[in-house]
């Protein structure tokens, strides 16, 4: 039984990755993921310069997942570009470089730097950070997405993935797919956290995180049905050359199976990886392998995208 998969020409012996932002801000954390059963890793989304991020408390675990408003704390693009470039070729595991500018100009500036570098791996452009005060998620402004992609593909010739926010309406699925199908995108990654949720503590009668009056991105059990819907809806609408990474609500082999049934080529684990650490990759690989054996599947292609309707 094989858990191998690919994104474009990039091979992964295991379809499991971490989700950007979780235990992946330092090279030590990234090396731990590469040394685990994960098929590769993705860096914390980078900004042009290092950032401290939002004030704490900025993340809170709950019984159903977590809420965060980290505010893009990271060591800056050069730090991650250096790491990703050093790692390419060895480990047999891909390092995906995630970038999240605070403006279209910053995104273009960073992608120009990546294009000019010797990095030959996958770059993930994050269009969906919900936690920068005063900044809306670019992924909800379809014409802005079209502008960014048009400007990007004038000079960017390396493989590019997009981290998308969750969409909640068929007009939105149609709208974003119409834009994405016009460009040579290597993959899309759905979903980022469900933005601007609110967790309240009835004991203290207070919010639980400090930034933005307590509003933050939701991950974990809160988001799995929305994540599966976005993977499925985009798989049905996007041209086959665009691969899909499924992210959201994964904490077991069964959850991975559901994402692949909906069309995912790879999957990323955020909240649950935050709770369990790198042993989760071995556990979930075992659970998925057992589930596939019970069902008589040898490879992910045997069931990918084959969700039945009734
Ligand atoms: C890149 C910033 C993000 C953050 C953050 O750094 O606050 N949190 C998320 O849930 N998703 C993001 O995309």
């Amino acid at each position: 039984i094989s858990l191998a998969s690919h994104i474009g020409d990039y091979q992964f012996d295991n379809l499991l990755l971490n989700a950007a932002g979780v235990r992946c801000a330092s090279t030590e954390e990234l090396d731990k993921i590469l040394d685990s059963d994960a098929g590769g890793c993705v860096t914390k989304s980078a900004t042009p310069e290092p950032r401290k991020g939002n004030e704490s408390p900025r993340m809170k675990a709950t019984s159903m997942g977590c809420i965060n408003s980290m505010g893009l704390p990271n060591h800056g693009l050069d730090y991650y570009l250096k790491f990703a470039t050093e790692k390419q070729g060895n480990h047999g595991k891909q390092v995906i470089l995630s970038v999240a500018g605070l403006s279209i100009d910053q995104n273009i500036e960073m992608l120009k730097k990546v294009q000019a570098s010797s990095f030959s791996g996958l770059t993930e452009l994050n269009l969906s950070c919900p936690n920068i005060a005063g900044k809306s998620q670019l992924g909800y402004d379809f014409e802005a997405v079209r502008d960014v992609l048009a400007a990007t593909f004038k000079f960017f010739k390396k493989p590019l993935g997009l981290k998308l926010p969750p969409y909640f309406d068929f007009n939105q699925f149609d709208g974003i797919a119409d834009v994405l199908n016009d460009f040579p995108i290597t993959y899309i990654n759905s979903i980022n956290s469900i933005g601007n949720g609110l967790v309240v503590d009835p004991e203290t009668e207070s919010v639980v995180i400090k930034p933005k009056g307590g509003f933050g991105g939701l991950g974990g059990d809160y988001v799995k049905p929305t994540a599966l819907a976005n993977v499925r809806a985009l798989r049905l609408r996007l041209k086959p050359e665009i691969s899909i990474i499924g992210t959201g609500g994964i904490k077991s082999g069964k959850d991975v199976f559901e994402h692949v049934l909906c069309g995912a080529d790879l999957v990323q684990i955020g909240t649950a990886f935050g709770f369990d650490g790198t042993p989760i990759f071995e556990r979930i690989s075992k659970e998925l392998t057992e589930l596939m054996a019970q069902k008589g599947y040898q490879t992910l292609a045997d069931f990918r995208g084959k969700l039945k309707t009734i």
Side-chain angles (χ1 to χ4, degrees):
I1 287 185
S2 166
L3 302 187
S5 190
H6 68 93
I7 291 266
D9 304 334
Y10 292 80
Q11 289 299 323
F12 293 76
D13 357 348
N14 181 311
L15 79 162
L16 304 179
L17 301 172
N18 67 297
V22 181
R23 296 180 185 248
C24 60
S26 70
T27 53
E28 291 75 21
E29 288 175 313
L30 289 161
D31 274 327
K32 268 191 76 149
I33 300 171
L34 292 177
D35 293 342
S36 78
D37 280 14
C41 69
V42 58
T43 69
K44 169 63 187 174
S45 294
T47 47
E49 300 304 324
R51 273 174 66 88
K52 285 191 176 43
N54 290 340
E55 288 184 291
S56 294
R58 58 193 190 181
M59 196 284 270
K60 176 85 175 165
T62 72
S63 59
M64 289 183 64
C66 73
I67 183 169
N68 91 83
S69 183
M70 307 304 287
L72 254 173
N74 74 96
H75 292 293
L77 177 62
D78 294 346
Y79 177 94
Y80 300 107
L81 187 51
K82 179 171 179 291
F83 176 83
T85 305
E86 280 163 5
K87 294 294 176 181
Q88 62 194 17
N90 69 25
H91 264 286
K93 293 186 178 180
Q94 305 290 339
V95 176
I96 299 179
L97 174 67
S98 175
V99 296
L102 301 185
S103 66
I104 292 180
D105 289 350
Q106 276 194 10
N107 283 324
I108 299 298
E109 172 197 342
M110 288 195 284
L111 291 173
K112 279 187 170 155
K113 202 165 199 181
V114 174
Q115 177 60 35
S117 76
S118 54
F119 176 59
S120 59
L122 293 161
T123 300
E124 183 169 290
L125 176 60
N126 184 344
L127 298 177
S128 41
C129 180
N131 300 322
I132 305 295
K135 296 276 180 191
S136 67
Q137 292 159 268
L138 200 61
Y140 288 138
D141 179 343
F142 300 155
E143 284 322 302
V145 173
R146 182 178 291 282
D147 293 346
V148 173
L149 295 179
T152 296
F153 285 112
K154 284 197 170 65
F155 66 90
F156 198 76
K157 304 304 173 197
K158 298 180 176 178
L160 184 72
L162 299 176
K163 182 70 173 284
L164 299 174
Y167 300 104
F168 299 93
D169 181 286
F170 273 43
N171 286 336
Q172 292 172 350
F173 295 142
D174 295 340
I176 191 64
D178 287 349
V179 175
L180 300 175
N181 279 328
D182 284 349
F183 296 97
I185 294 157
T186 300
Y187 74 89
I188 60 100
N189 181 346
S190 281
I191 60 172
N192 205 318
S193 52
I194 295 182
N196 298 302
L198 183 63
V199 170
V200 170
D201 179 344
E203 293 300 304
T204 60
E205 303 175 14
S206 165
V207 301
V208 298
I209 56 172
K210 183 166 185 178
K212 288 178 62 179
F215 286 70
L218 302 176
D221 295 354
Y222 296 118
V223 312
K224 189 171 86 169
T226 296
L228 293 175
N230 277 261
V231 169
R232 173 71 168 173
L234 290 174
R235 186 62 287 162
L236 293 175
R237 288 167 175 77
L238 293 176
K239 55 191 179 185
E241 310 86 282
I242 299 180
S243 298
I244 294 186
I245 297 183
T247 304
I250 293 173
K251 62 182 184 186
S252 71
K254 185 180 64 62
D255 300 326
V256 176
F257 184 82
E258 293 170 23
H259 267 271
V260 175
L261 259 187
C262 290
D265 295 288
L266 298 182
V267 300
Q268 290 183 354
I269 308 172
T271 300
F273 170 49
F275 290 162
D276 297 357
T278 53
I280 195 167
F281 295 112
E282 182 182 11
R283 171 174 66 81
I284 288 188
S285 296
K286 279 203 183 84
E287 290 172 356
L288 177 58
T289 301
E290 278 158 23
L291 185 56
M292 286 170 69
Q294 282 163 24
K295 289 169 170 286
Y297 294 132
Q298 290 299 311
T299 69
L300 300 173
D302 291 344
F303 61 97
R304 176 176 296 114
K306 296 188 175 172
L307 176 67
K308 297 172 188 156
T309 52
I310 48 178

